[in-house]
Amino acid sequence: MVVGQTDIVSSFLPPFQGYGILLPIALLLIAAFWALFANLLPGKDRGASLVGLACSVLATLCYGFSVPGALLFGGRYFFTPDARFAAVIICLLAALWCLWTFGSGQNGGLGRTREAVAFAMLSAIGAVIAVAATDIIVIILALELATMPSYVLVGYRRYRIKGLEGAMKYFLLSVLTTLIMLYGASFLVGLSASTTFAGLASLSNNALTLIAVGMVVLGMFAKMSAAPFHWWAPDAYEGAESWALSFAAVVPKVAVTVVLARLIFIISQPVPQVAEMLMVMAIFSMIVGSFAALMQVNIRRMMAYSGVSSAGFILLVIAMMAMGLDGSLFALNAAILYVAAAAFATMGVLFISAHEGSMVADLNGLSERRPGAAWALAIIAVSMIGVPPTLGFFAKLNVFLITAAAQQYALLVFAVVMVVVSAFYYIRLIRASFFGESQKKTTVVTDALDAEKEGMADSQNLAAEIEATFTDADIEPATSYPAKTSYSPCAVAAIVLIVVVLMAAGIFHNPIMTFLAGS
């Protein structure tokens, strides 16, 4: 914080110290319960989104003006500056998502969204708890709370067979890796005789400790879709609806990244070999993600592999931190800044995809029919490439600086090459928007017909399932939500805010890093 800000906060917002820091969690919980019972409350779907938006904005402000340093529950919850920054990002992402769904909900043609809002709020609660937890048991439980709602969001429409398939793959791999993570955590608890970070810092350096650490981080690799534990991501992303995926693909990943960075920051001191494991995973993830994304024609699959590549850059920064350099704290903050830049950009691309269609070819002629959306997509893509003065540029620059400071020049050159490779598939989005052949006609295709077209189920069974869905009084299918739809004012506001965040956070990079460092 800047000088004097602590005094201002202490004067006007004294509850946000100590146990008062839990107030934002209570706000998110209120939004979750409102959404669960929204059918009986004013506004129904739009009311759930509005309450979720209000509570998320308030939670963002509470975290933004809070005083870090609260140590609660016997040291199991430590609200550090990096935890504060991550919590602000998570709540802001939740607010943007609720803003978009408010404009595109039941009256906007999207269909029933109140349970989705409830799941999103519960996921946000798990995420903000996880980023400040310092107890391995609390971390695992919080991460599961952050990721489990994502399974439902991926397969939210029950008549989308491909979405259900992707959700099942996500669920099975996540459950398997969580069990492995729990098994490794049990070894860590036995070896350290403690579940807290303080106990983990006293681990002895032996083979069993290294195996236990490897099992714990393996579960986190799967949740952040790092190769080779990324196989669920392309199918889950492709099967999910863009609006649901825009939350499920970003908030859990922010939480997992922060938890992994904080955990490695502690464990790397007694177990320095973890740095080598992270470097191997980073290299593999960057190669798989960057080159696989080049071959994708589906926007969501492209973003899935983009996430794999981003996981590689994040792991590279964490690996440099694990080497015990003088700038380890800066590397920790750089990893959090990188995942924040990727999260906002991914959400922006998926918001636009929700309106324009799932294929890159659907963006053809976007600059002619919707120039504002085309320019917004261009700025988002430029940020993902890493062009100044966007946030993505400084996120990648920090990776290069940290790698150079560690004197890992071969890895530095490799990372630069991977950035160049990734630029090609991001440029495809810009090329389609501004130079693609203009589409003369737009065919309105519903989710159900799209599912039939892709051959995801037998036509008769699919028709029967859709008919049963449509006649169910409690289900409100999104039959009027076509492949291309007009942008509601709230959708426009959400996308504009994402662009503003990416630009403003890049221009004011130094104050952002100062806030992240807690000074």
Side-chain angles (χ1 to χ4, degrees):
M1 290 188 178
V2 296
V3 178
Q5 184 175 349
T6 301
D7 297 334
I8 296 175
V9 173
S10 300
S11 301
F12 292 96
L13 301 173
F16 303 139
Q17 303 179 60
Y19 284 95
I21 203 63
L22 303 179
L23 177 62
I25 299 176
L27 291 171
L28 296 175
L29 190 60
I30 291 171
F33 274 101
W34 182 286
L36 285 174
F37 298 98
N39 192 42
L40 306 174
L41 296 170
K44 294 190 176 181
D45 291 272
R46 287 171 61 85
S49 296
L50 181 60
V51 173
L53 170 62
C55 290
S56 298
V57 170
L58 289 175
T60 303
L61 294 174
C62 290
Y63 279 129
F65 290 100
S66 62
V67 179
L71 189 63
L72 311 177
F73 308 114
R76 288 171 173 80
Y77 187 90
F78 188 23
F79 193 69
T80 55
D82 52 279
R84 177 185 62 180
F85 183 82
V88 168
I89 297 302
I90 290 167
C91 293
L92 184 55
L93 289 168
L96 290 169
W97 187 82
C98 288
L99 176 62
W100 192 91
T101 56
F102 176 73
S104 306
Q106 184 61 49
N107 296 340
L110 183 59
R112 179 170 176 167
T113 57
R114 47 186 178 270
E115 287 90 352
V117 174
F119 285 123
M121 294 298 101
L122 292 173
S123 178
I125 291 172
V128 296
I129 292 175
V131 298
T134 57
D135 183 280
I136 192 69
I137 305 301
V138 177
I139 286 174
I140 292 174
L141 293 176
L143 286 180
E144 289 308 300
L145 178 58
T147 55
M148 279 186 177
S150 299
Y151 312 150
V152 183
L153 289 174
V154 169
Y156 191 69
R157 303 299 184 193
R158 69 182 188 182
Y159 54 80
R160 289 178 62 93
I161 309 302
K162 210 165 187 179
L164 297 177
E165 179 186 350
M168 183 58 66
K169 289 180 180 179
Y170 184 13
F171 170 74
L172 291 176
L173 180 62
S174 183
V175 168
L176 175 62
T177 53
T178 297
L179 292 175
I180 296 174
M181 183 167 59
L182 281 169
Y183 192 46
S186 66
F187 280 113
L188 290 181
V189 172
L191 291 168
S192 64
S194 173
T195 61
T196 64
F197 279 3
L200 296 180
S202 62
L203 286 169
S204 58
N205 188 0
N206 54 53
L208 183 57
T209 301
L210 185 60
I211 292 173
V213 171
M215 295 174 72
V216 170
V217 299
L218 183 147
M220 297 184 186
F221 290 157
K223 295 182 187 300
M224 66 187 302
S225 67
F229 307 103
H230 68 287
W231 299 111
W232 62 270
D235 291 338
Y237 279 44
E238 183 181 11
E241 293 180 299
S242 293
W243 68 273
L245 183 64
S246 62
F247 187 93
V250 297
V251 169
K253 188 169 291 188
V254 172
V256 173
T257 298
V258 176
V259 168
L260 179 63
R262 285 161 59 97
L263 185 64
I264 295 300
F265 187 79
I266 300 297
I267 290 181
S268 62
Q269 300 176 18
V271 190
Q273 298 93 328
V274 71
E276 300 174 1
M277 176 178 61
L278 292 172
M279 279 191 281
V280 172
M281 294 293 297
I283 294 171
F284 194 35
S285 295
M286 283 189 279
I287 292 175
V288 171
S290 297
F291 285 100
L294 287 174
M295 300 180 288
Q296 304 306 316
V297 295
N298 184 288
I299 295 175
R300 293 195 293 272
R301 290 186 71 90
M302 180 188 296
M303 296 312 298
Y305 284 112
S306 172
V308 176
S309 178
S310 296
F313 284 97
I314 293 168
L315 290 177
L316 180 61
V317 175
I318 298 177
M320 299 300 102
M321 178 189 67
M323 296 177 65
L325 303 175
D326 293 337
S328 294
L329 185 59
F330 176 73
L332 171 67
N333 295 337
I336 299 173
L337 187 71
Y338 196 102
V339 73
F344 282 109
T346 300
M347 179 173 280
V349 171
L350 292 173
F351 278 167
I352 295 175
S353 174
H355 291 279
E356 302 300 334
S358 60
M359 310 302 289
V360 175
D362 292 330
L363 299 174
N364 288 346
L366 181 60
S367 62
E368 296 180 12
R369 64 179 183 271
R370 289 167 179 169
W375 282 106
L377 181 61
I379 294 174
I380 293 171
V382 161
S383 178
M384 299 180 84
I385 294 171
V387 177
T390 60
L391 179 60
F393 166 76
F394 290 101
K396 286 182 168 59
L397 179 62
N398 288 338
V399 175
F400 300 152
L401 292 176
I402 292 167
T403 308
Q407 299 182 354
Q408 299 291 328
Y409 300 114
L411 284 176
L412 173 61
V413 173
F414 174 77
V416 172
V417 171
M418 289 299 101
V419 169
V420 174
V421 172
S422 66
F424 283 94
Y425 55 84
Y426 294 133
I427 289 176
R428 287 173 58 198
L429 301 177
I430 302 175
R431 179 183 177 277
S433 300
F434 288 89
F435 306 105
E437 183 179 354
S438 179
Q439 297 178 350
K440 302 300 182 182
K441 295 182 181 179
T442 300
T443 302
V444 177
V445 182
T446 65
D447 287 328
L449 293 178
D450 184 51
E452 184 178 8
K453 175 184 172 183
E454 294 177 6
M456 294 186 289
D458 179 78
S459 59
Q460 294 181 352
N461 293 336
L462 180 62
E465 185 176 357
I466 294 172
E467 183 180 358
T469 303
F470 287 2
T471 56
D472 187 350
D474 191 44
I475 300 296
E476 299 142 1
T479 56
S480 61
Y481 198 69
K484 285 183 173 59
T485 58
S486 60
Y487 292 75
S488 68
C490 291
V492 172
I495 295 171
V496 168
L497 286 173
I498 288 174
V499 172
V500 169
V501 167
L502 292 174
M503 292 297 295
I507 295 172
F508 300 102
H509 170 256
N510 288 335
I512 292 291
M513 293 301 293
T514 301
F515 177 78
L516 180 53
S519 57

